[in-house]
Amino acid sequence: MSWHPQYRSSKFRHVYGKAASKDKCYDCVPITRNVHDNHFCAVNPHFIAVVTECAGGGAFLVIPIHQTGKLDPHYPRICGHKGNVLDIKWNPFNDFVIASCSEDATVKIWDIPKHLLTRNITSPTKELLGHVRRVGLIEWHPTANNILFSSGYDYKVMIWNLDTKEAVISNPVKILDAHKDVVLSMSFNTDGSLLATACRDRKIRLIDPRAGTVLQEANYKSHRVNKVLFLGNMKKLFSTGTSRWNNRQIALWDQNDLSVPLLEEDLDGSSGLLFPFYDSDTHMLYVVGKGDGNIRYYEISPEKPYLNYLMEYRSHLPQKGIGMMPKRGLEVSACEIFRFYKLIPTKSLIEPISMIVPRRSESYQEDIYPLTIGAQPALTAQEWLHGVNKGPVLVSLRPGSGAVNSLPQFPEPEPLIKTTDMSQHQGRGGRILLEDMQKPREIEDCRKLPKVEDKLPKNEQMCFSNSFDIFECPPPKTENELLQMFYRQQEEIRRLRELVNQRDIQIKQLELELRNLCSDTVSY
């Protein structure tokens, strides 16, 4: 009989959760008391949005991500809905656009013009009118630009194309009428070609959103599903819900066979909902309990036992909702692989919680930061509607490897310099990569570049500013574009400072080793 070890080798075995200090939390935030089962919070690298409590209509706050501490009680709000706001989601390809849905049966799209609002915003950029009852869920398409899904209490899922000039859109491009009750959860696969839904009739459905057909349907009676989630490219679904005995339960499903779950596990007897989050880069799954302060996390494997329990973050403060920072907004220098924003209405507090891999080195850890989903769409709305499928555009989180933001990308210009020296030291899009400037020989070559440029006509010289050229990103024409350019430069400055600090540490270490070597030689 072979012996099987009780542990498994994994670089994420010792991941731990770290709550932010008081000065890095958001205090005095009037968090909503609504009992609707949603996150009530949306985060991107520039802003944190949270649904608030207000009298008459619905509203939410948009706070700059670095504006921590106590919030002004008169801080401006986004308050154009006539009913309570039930869900908010940032556009994954534009950090200055957010969608909201409400009990007034509308979906509204908002432009956030400045990092610090000076007055209430009451007029949306676009208004989507199609549902006849309140709208409880909205989801942006993961790869196609300006495609939004909404689900209402009229049992319909509507697909909207926002790539139009109309301010009021009354006709969705597609209506999915496959549900017999309220849709509780929606999730896309990696390229957005499939949609998984969890319905109040206890069924999980796998739908082709463009054709409107149900491909798979789960009729498993002993698992009452609340939330469903695609597990990246693993071809598996994960769901949370309750068992026959009202215990909180998790289940894992094969995407191609929803008749019986691959795995089923009871967690506890609490009554709060379980929100699942999946990180496809690290294959880690987080299960956040509503009404308690626990965050359980697991590692997903393609073979049995599929679900490997790692650890649990515990807190005595219960969470009403939760927000999640995209990977491009994490602190890679601190080995942070995930960040939650926990809503604590009893203290009017938003508390960031970082999931950290313990490492001694302060340098960039490439093994825990593979290429991740960036902020550029892979498809236009029309391409996706006409049947094109494409995976997300991936970017590197290495400091200095390129701007990771939500600015629109323009077609790459043809290279103007065709000399050997310039071609060796230019990265994608005509950029000089910071990694290529680390070697002394390459530094000397980079110093020779101005001489090459002097030989060119004035109209053909390339101008570099903060590692991007003016041909790829033309000068801003509007205030919003100027702000986006400003945020991009601030992010680039921050990354360059981190790189300089790392170089200073390496220089000091080399100087110390050189002194030790010299002293050893003299003594010898």
Side-chain angles (χ1 to χ4, degrees), residues 232-504:
N233 289 321
M234 306 281 286
K235 293 191 175 181
K236 291 180 175 61
L237 294 173
F238 180 82
S239 66
T240 65
T242 56
S243 67
R244 289 178 176 177
W245 312 107
N246 282 333
N247 292 324
R248 293 202 293 191
Q249 190 180 65
I250 59 176
L252 193 67
W253 308 79
D254 183 357
Q255 175 182 314
N256 299 318
D257 183 15
L258 298 181
S259 58
V260 177
L262 298 173
L263 181 144
E264 199 175 10
E265 182 181 336
D266 286 6
L267 295 184
D268 54 37
S270 300
S271 59
L273 201 67
L274 293 173
F275 295 117
F277 297 89
Y278 180 65
D279 181 4
S280 59
D281 300 336
T282 60
H283 302 295
M284 286 184 64
L285 175 74
Y286 302 86
V287 180
V288 182
K290 181 179 179 181
D292 57 54
N294 303 339
I295 300 176
R296 299 173 177 87
Y297 40 103
Y298 306 81
E299 193 169 4
I300 302 293
S301 58
E303 299 175 352
K304 288 184 178 181
Y306 304 119
L307 203 62
N308 301 287
Y309 176 78
L310 294 176
M311 211 178 289
E312 182 175 0
Y313 170 82
R314 292 177 176 270
S315 171
H316 66 281
L317 295 174
Q319 55 238 4
K320 169 83 173 182
I322 202 88
M324 179 201 74
M325 172 66 78
K327 294 297 284 286
R328 54 194 172 90
L330 300 181
E331 286 287 342
V332 295
S333 59
C335 295
E336 183 185 33
I337 58 171
F338 218 78
R339 190 191 304 163
F340 294 102
Y341 287 80
K342 176 178 172 180
L343 305 186
I344 309 172
T346 55
K347 292 185 173 291
S348 299
L349 187 72
I350 303 176
E351 180 184 47
I353 299 172
S354 298
M355 311 306 293
I356 296 173
V357 179
R359 294 282 175 96
R360 291 183 179 180
S361 175
E362 294 182 357
S363 60
Y364 178 75
Q365 305 293 310
E366 196 164 0
D367 60 325
I368 63 175
Y369 293 114
L371 292 178
T372 188
I373 297 174
Q376 307 302 331
L379 298 168
T380 64
Q382 290 300 327
E383 285 175 339
W384 183 80
L385 291 172
H386 285 89
V388 181
N389 292 325
K390 209 174 200 180
V393 177
L394 302 180
V395 296
S396 172
L397 297 182
R398 179 186 288 274
S401 62
V404 182
N405 54 39
S406 62
L407 287 174
Q409 291 292 311
F410 300 94
E412 294 184 0
E414 294 183 1
L416 299 176
I417 300 174
K418 297 184 179 180
T419 62
T420 306
D421 292 338
M422 198 63 175
S423 63
Q424 289 177 353
H425 303 287
Q426 282 189 350
R428 297 182 302 272
R431 296 174 184 160
I432 298 178
L433 298 180
L434 290 174
E435 294 90 336
D436 296 339
M437 298 176 67
Q438 294 176 8
K439 299 180 181 179
R441 180 182 174 185
E442 293 174 348
I443 292 175
E444 293 178 1
D445 291 336
C446 289
R447 289 173 181 170
K448 296 178 183 178
L449 291 181
K451 297 180 181 179
V452 178
E453 292 179 359
D454 291 340
K455 298 178 183 179
L456 296 175
K458 292 183 179 179
N459 59 347
E460 291 188 0
Q461 290 185 7
M462 298 187 70
C463 302
F464 293 89
S465 174
N466 288 340
S467 79
F468 63 92
D469 59 78
I470 61 172
F471 295 106
E472 184 176 354
C473 295
K477 298 179 181 179
T478 64
E479 185 180 4
N480 196 15
E481 291 180 0
L482 183 63
L483 278 171
Q484 291 179 341
M485 186 75 71
F486 170 75
Y487 288 133
R488 180 182 185 181
Q489 291 177 345
Q490 291 294 102
E491 184 69 17
E492 187 69 18
I493 289 171
R494 184 184 67 80
R495 293 182 184 279
L496 289 173
R497 283 175 178 167
E498 291 177 357
L499 197 64
V500 169
N501 291 335
Q502 293 175 7
R503 296 292 181 271
D504 290 340

Side-chain angles (χ1 to χ4, degrees), residues 1-45:
M1 183 176 179
S2 62
W3 177 77
H4 295 281
Q6 296 299 314
Y7 64 91
R8 53 187 298 275
S9 176
S10 171
K11 65 188 75 172
F12 304 111
R13 281 180 60 205
H14 303 291
V15 170
Y16 66 95
K18 181 181 178 182
S21 57
K22 182 74 172 179
D23 60 321
K24 293 184 179 178
C25 295
Y26 305 84
D27 203 0
C28 302
V29 181
I31 300 169
T32 181
R33 306 283 177 176
N34 197 310
V35 296
H36 193 73
D37 290 328
N38 262 344
H39 298 159
F40 294 127
C41 181
V43 188
N44 69 27

